Amino acid sequence: MKKNQRWFLLLIVCSAIFLSVLDLFIVNVALPAIKSGIKGTDADMQFVIVMYIVGYASFLITGGRAGEYFGKKKVFLTGMLVFTTASFVCGFSQSATQLNIARFIQGVSAAFMVPQGMSFIPDLFPDPKERVKVLGMYGSIAGIASVVGQFLGGLIPDLEMISQSWRLIFLINVPVGLIAVALGFKYLKESQVKIAEKFDFTGGLLLMLTLTAFIYPLIQGRELNWPIWSILMLVLSVVLLLAFIYHQWLSKRLGKNPLLNIKVFKNFDFRIGLLISLFYYLVQDSYFLINTVYLQNGMGISSVHTGIYFVCQGMGYVLASMFFASRVTRYGKYVSLFGSVIMIVALVFHLIIFNSPDALQWQITIILFVYGVGCGTILPSLMTISLKSIAEDMLGASSGIYLTLQQISVAIGVAVVGGVFFQHLDNPSVLTLFPVAYRWATLLNIGFLIIVSVLLALTPKANKGYT
């Protein structure tokens, strides 16, 4: 295969990670416009983020294995086509229910198309040294997509091209997706199906039901003053979780191919790494939710300027991740510890600056940039901490579990921290209550990051295995 052709095919498969990350971040800044457009509630705003993540997290491991069962090209194209169709439905949704069902389908389809995009890379770039560079580029594309998403999410709702221009944040996926499907169909080669074992659909279904039964009452129950059904659903989620764990254990014992390999949890580094990541990702997207609403509805800043502020945050993230990624090998956990401290300090200044009626643009810009630097410092080493001592034959299963927990944590963070934020606002929201709501939600995020710092400090000091 010619070198230029390989790079062309790489662009096609990278469209999956670009669109999936773009669609996660583009809604953050546009949430107030979406809420107004669909006449939704505060809970509906949380669901716009959460439904996408629940669909993605529930089927991420299943989607990763689907290419081995059915062929990578087939799964990639099917996932991209469904994602594009769901984006079209999102753009023309007339109610919160329609929008959030379509968002869930977006998340499910992303869980199938994104892993295939990454699995094509070893086929396109068989040389290990070249492959490392390409994987780095693949990760950079995700970072770029997050920055572009936040900028467009702020810009598009203020355009006057159509009466409800926020719909364009979903409709822009349609031409990109259709082009990717057409080019992929013509130029990508199908992989051989390597596995003939029974597919674990039951495990995927149990995981989805567990997440839904836990997250839905956390969001909707708060808004309805905790009716009895919300409490019962939370109890049901625990029962479903136990059923899921038992099903995975039994499948492994019977020699089947379970969704999760529970054996990896015997590794101490993996367990504490997952715990650190859990508390970190509780903060990640909940931060965007409460700051988006507070900047626009609480401080009266336009969606365009809010988007620009978050672009500055994204730039801090990208620059720091580029600088610190290569230093993880040498300094190990201290890179992450340094990043978590930066984030805590930045959030303290968020409380000081954002609470001032005379906050200046340059102050907001700098503090968001510094927060982004903290994120970019800690993220390059989080996955390494979890997987550094995992045996090579268990690496695939472990990384799947890690990525699934990552998405679950994001969804729970949006539900819990967002719930605390909206709990302190009246319905409709009273302007004078915004600082109080923001303070409590941000203090909760600071608490989560302090737990991250403590766990990092307790992590074994040895750098061996950091790669």
Side-chain angles (χ1 to χ4, degrees), residues 363-430:
Q363 294 174 321
I364 299 175
T365 300
I366 289 177
I367 201 60
L368 262 69
F369 178 83
V370 172
Y371 183 84
V373 169
C375 296
T377 304
I378 188 172
L379 271 179
S381 55
L382 277 184
M383 193 169 187
T384 305
I385 290 173
S386 298
L387 305 181
K388 63 177 181 174
S389 60
I390 295 291
E392 187 173 345
D393 61 335
M394 300 291 291
L395 201 55
S398 303
S399 59
I401 293 171
Y402 175 88
L403 293 172
T404 300
L405 178 87
Q406 175 192 94
Q407 298 301 317
I408 292 171
S409 302
V410 169
I412 294 174
V414 169
V416 173
V417 180
V420 169
F421 180 75
F422 291 120
Q423 185 70 43
H424 286 82
L425 298 176
D426 285 343
N427 197 9
S429 301
V430 178

Side-chain angles (χ1 to χ4, degrees), residues 252-290:
K252 186 67 176 176
R253 187 174 183 182
L254 295 176
K256 298 180 180 180
N257 196 25
L259 200 63
L260 302 182
N261 191 336
I262 301 178
K263 182 180 176 182
V264 299
F265 288 98
K266 295 180 179 179
N267 184 291
F268 174 78
D269 290 329
F270 185 68
R271 293 199 306 272
I272 195 168
L274 286 183
L275 199 57
I276 292 169
S277 298
L278 165 66
F279 284 101
Y280 172 81
Y281 284 105
L282 289 174
V283 177
Q284 179 164 286
D285 271 46
S286 63
Y287 167 86
F288 288 113
L289 172 65
I290 64 174

